[in-house]
Amino acid sequence: MSIASSLVTLARQGIALALAGAALPAWACSCPLDEPGQFLHLAPAKGKRPPSVTLPANARGILFLPGQYPDTLASDEDGYSIVAPPVPLSATRFQLRERGTGRKLTPVLVRLHVEKQMGSQDKGSFLANTGMQQCAKQEQPLTPLCSTLASLTWDWSKQEQDGPSDKVKRFALQHGLREVSDEVNAAYGLYRVEAGEGFKPGKVYDIVYRDGRRRLTAELRMAKTPLNMDGQTPFTVGVDGAARREKIRMARGGSCDMLVTLASQPLRLALPPAYEAYPALLMYFMQEKLEQRDRQQFSAAGRFTAFRYWPTVCTKIAYGSSFHGQGRELAIGECQAPAPRQVKAYAGVLEVEDSLHETAPLAITFPAEKPGQCPKMLDPVYPIYVVPAKAG
């Protein structure tokens, strides 16, 4: 995978790489890379039993995140990219068997467009021609074409851009590249693995995924009672205690991270009663929209953006979870005059549902600073938490 492709992959997983241009911390090199492909919401294996998940009787399947994206040869800050041919996940990689009877079931893959619902998918992808596709394998020195492609990629070290450039889009159109956005969006992202014959309440199923020599197993246990979604109260986001000023570890250019005194407001996602029985299956994403610019290099004002994290010491944050876990999040702003903002969340149980529930926005304002609470000088930091090893 090319460097540009790696950056896009991390960005799509919700990890912003704002420290490009600075050396990566030494600890990053010692952490093993995750192999692509994982079943979601599994409880750890016990004894000889494989990792398992218990689903409501009306669940349609188990969630699977391939963790793969097309090789990206160029991408810009406006959401346009030039990619290698997309390769969708194949149902032939899965085997489903009903325990006890040994009955084989027909795997069916359903692509769940979570990022589209949240408005976070790329604007457009263009298919690289044959010559451009060779750039992913190009060794130094680069050919003129590969050098041109590399020059189009967004400079991640720049926090503020000079407005839309559409440089990748213009380059793609000039070279007659075909737009393949629909194919890319259909091929990559979150899937639900269903059975053509359906899963039966009270039954147990063994699921196997194979990718070359790699083999993943999971146990799907169907409960006898369904998740009741009729007449439910909505999901809501609320404050989880008082706003405060505190020292928070944040990403910073030129060094790994630093402790900075910032304004903070703890948040929590409140669940409808029926969902409280399935906390391990809950998937949620929180976003915030600043009403004005924050002077300490926080998210751009005027649009909703995801909370972002920088992992340390091999910290893992589960897909569809947060820095703090258990439906909790932390809104942060500069210490002296933090920008007011709105926060909303998308949440649901996608083993049962096809889309997430969007909450009403919650307005947040921070109290004025008290004398001596804030330093006189602003420390320039990025809007990215540095996540301790115990987080997740």
Side-chain angles (χ1 to χ4, degrees):
M1 179 179 288
S2 66
I3 293 176
S5 179
S6 299
L7 292 176
V8 171
T9 299
L10 288 169
R12 293 186 189 205
Q13 291 174 339
I15 302 173
L17 293 182
L19 300 186
L24 285 176
W27 42 257
C29 301
S30 62
C31 296
L33 294 176
D34 288 335
E35 293 189 82
Q38 60 175 313
F39 292 103
L40 300 187
H41 302 153
L42 293 180
K46 293 183 179 180
K48 295 183 179 180
R49 285 177 49 185
S52 66
V53 62
T54 300
L55 302 181
N58 55 341
R60 293 148 68 182
I62 187 173
L63 299 185
F64 187 81
L65 188 66
Q68 294 176 317
Y69 297 94
D71 276 339
T72 302
L73 297 124
S75 60
D76 63 22
E77 64 272 25
D78 302 310
Y80 294 101
S81 58
I82 297 174
V83 301
V87 181
L89 182 66
S90 173
T92 60
R93 295 187 179 185
F94 296 88
Q95 292 181 354
L96 308 179
R97 190 184 297 270
E98 187 176 86
R99 191 175 296 178
T101 65
R103 183 170 66 108
K104 292 184 178 180
L105 287 77
T106 307
V108 177
L109 302 183
V110 176
R111 169 76 167 92
L112 299 169
H113 294 276
V114 174
E115 62 289 326
K116 181 177 181 180
Q117 183 186 1
M118 296 189 295
S120 58
Q121 71 180 33
D122 290 344
K123 282 186 179 179
S125 299
F126 296 88
L127 182 62
N129 60 32
T130 303
M132 295 174 186
Q133 291 176 29
Q134 296 303 312
C135 293
K137 308 171 185 177
Q138 183 75 40
E139 301 293 336
Q140 297 289 343
L142 295 178
T143 65
L145 175 60
C146 296
S147 295
T148 301
L149 282 173
S151 70
L152 296 174
T153 294
W154 180 24
D155 183 351
W156 290 74
S157 65
K158 293 182 179 179
Q159 281 297 293
E160 298 297 332
Q161 303 295 329
D162 298 326
S165 65
D166 293 349
K167 56 186 177 182
V168 167
K169 179 181 179 181
R170 287 187 282 108
F171 178 87
L173 295 177
Q174 288 169 2
H175 287 75
L177 304 185
R178 180 171 66 89
E179 185 172 354
V180 289
S181 303
D182 290 342
E183 292 98 314
V184 170
N185 291 328
Y188 300 99
L190 181 65
Y191 283 86
R192 186 170 58 222
V193 183
E194 303 181 1
E197 299 80 2
F199 295 111
K200 297 181 180 179
K203 294 288 186 178
V204 179
Y205 299 88
D206 292 304
I207 304 179
V208 177
Y209 166 76
R210 286 186 173 87
D211 182 10
R213 295 183 178 180
R214 186 166 181 248
R215 183 175 184 269
L216 296 178
T217 60
E219 178 185 85
L220 191 164
R221 307 181 72 86
M222 296 295 292
K224 295 183 179 181
T225 56
L227 171 62
N228 180 14
M229 297 177 290
D230 296 331
Q232 286 292 319
T233 57
F235 287 89
T236 58
V237 176
V239 297
D240 189 27
R244 55 184 181 264
R245 261 62 173 190
E246 62 176 320
K247 287 188 178 294
I248 300 174
R249 193 165 293 281
M250 302 294 291
R252 182 172 185 259
S255 63
C256 295
D257 55 70
M258 67 180 299
L259 280 171
V260 185
T261 302
L262 299 172
S264 66
Q265 173 61 69
L267 304 166
R268 182 179 289 275
L269 177 69
L271 314 182
Y275 288 81
E276 292 179 352
Y278 299 97
L281 303 181
L282 181 67
M283 183 172 290
Y284 64 94
F285 304 87
M286 284 199 195
Q287 298 181 348
E288 65 177 351
K289 180 176 70 174
L290 275 61
E291 302 296 342
Q292 64 194 47
R293 276 190 65 181
D294 193 303
R295 295 181 302 161
Q296 207 156 4
Q297 297 190 32
F298 290 92
S299 302
R303 61 186 178 89
F304 280 99
T305 57
F307 291 87
R308 294 179 287 175
Y309 317 107
W310 182 277
T312 66
V313 198
C314 305
T315 298
K316 299 292 189 296
I317 299 176
Y319 179 84
S321 183
S322 73
F323 182 172
H324 302 276
Q326 300 177 337
R328 297 174 297 162
E329 192 53 272
L330 189 71
I332 57 174
E334 66 159 310
C335 190
Q336 291 89 341
R341 66 204 63 201
Q342 295 184 48
V343 175
K344 66 178 179 179
Y346 296 85
V349 173
L350 292 181
E351 287 88 347
V352 178
E353 308 168 277
D354 285 332
S355 60
L356 299 171
H357 302 267
E358 182 177 354
T359 71
L362 170 70
I364 295 176
T365 57
F366 295 91
E369 65 167 312
K370 297 178 181 178
Q373 268 191 321
C374 300
K376 294 181 179 180
M377 297 292 292
L378 291 178
D379 290 309
V381 292
Y382 296 107
I384 304 171
Y385 297 117
V386 174
V387 185
K390 65 180 180 179

